[in-house]
Amino acid sequence: GGIQPLASPNKVNFFNSSQCFQSGVTVVGQLSGQGSLIIGCEITLANTTTLNSVGGGCAHTVNNGSCNVIGGGLRNQVACANFMTIGGGDNNTALGIRSVIGGGGDNVATSSSGNSVIGGGRCNQLGSGSGNVIGGGYNNGIVGNYSTVGGGLSLSAFGDRSF
């Protein structure tokens, strides 16, 4: 008798949509684990990945990194990165360390960028440097440290402490 657990530490816990979501399964209390927590479709975890989470969406890739989060969206990618967050959007790429891409599309935080933020927009890029912010807009970029582009179209900040 009693209610059978949905997941157990003594087995591999993979489920498909007909087992869970279409069956009206509800999580009451905490949903936690010691490894990666993956929710979504066509999610790829490749090479050495640890403690990464995908909260939803489809066709995301996490490749060789740890402690990264993709909140949702479509075709977002975290590669060779640590402590990165992509909130959502489409086709955003995080390659750096300790940076955030809030959403939007086709935004890139390069491998040499760190401690930086792209709020959203489209086709924005964080180049080399640390502590940078691109608020949004289209086709904006930063190369340097502690620089800001608030938004707009095809704007750049080059060098340290630029805006």
Side-chain angles (χ1 to χ4, degrees):
I3 298 172
Q4 295 296 314
L6 176 63
S8 168
N10 300 319
K11 65 178 184 165
V12 177
N13 297 295
F14 290 104
F15 310 99
N16 64 39
S17 62
S18 63
Q19 290 172 300
C20 294
F21 304 108
Q22 294 173 355
S23 299
V25 172
T26 301
V27 175
V28 177
Q30 296 180 1
L31 178 62
S32 63
Q34 294 179 339
S36 297
L37 176 62
I38 307 300
I39 300 171
C41 64
E42 300 174 30
I43 308 302
T44 302
L45 294 179
N47 297 318
T48 307
T49 61
T50 56
L51 301 175
N52 294 293
S53 296
V54 176
C58 197
H60 304 303
T61 301
V62 179
N63 185 358
N64 198 14
S66 61
C67 303
N68 299 296
V69 175
I70 297 175
L74 179 66
R75 294 185 310 257
N76 293 307
Q77 175 183 342
V78 175
C80 300
N82 297 302
F83 311 106
M84 299 293 286
T85 300
I86 297 176
D90 178 24
N91 202 39
N92 295 303
T93 303
L95 306 171
I97 185 167
R98 291 184 301 271
S99 292
V100 175
I101 299 174
D106 301 309
N107 296 307
V108 178
T110 66
S111 60
S112 54
S113 65
N115 304 305
S116 298
V117 175
I118 297 176
R122 193 158 203 83
C123 299
N124 297 304
Q125 181 167 330
L126 294 168
S128 62
S130 177
N132 296 308
V133 175
I134 297 176
Y138 180 82
N139 197 36
N140 298 306
I142 294 178
V143 177
N145 296 298
Y146 314 110
S147 296
T148 300
V149 173
L153 173 64
S154 298
L155 300 173
S156 299
F158 292 101
D160 293 348
R161 298 170 191 87
S162 301
F163 61 94

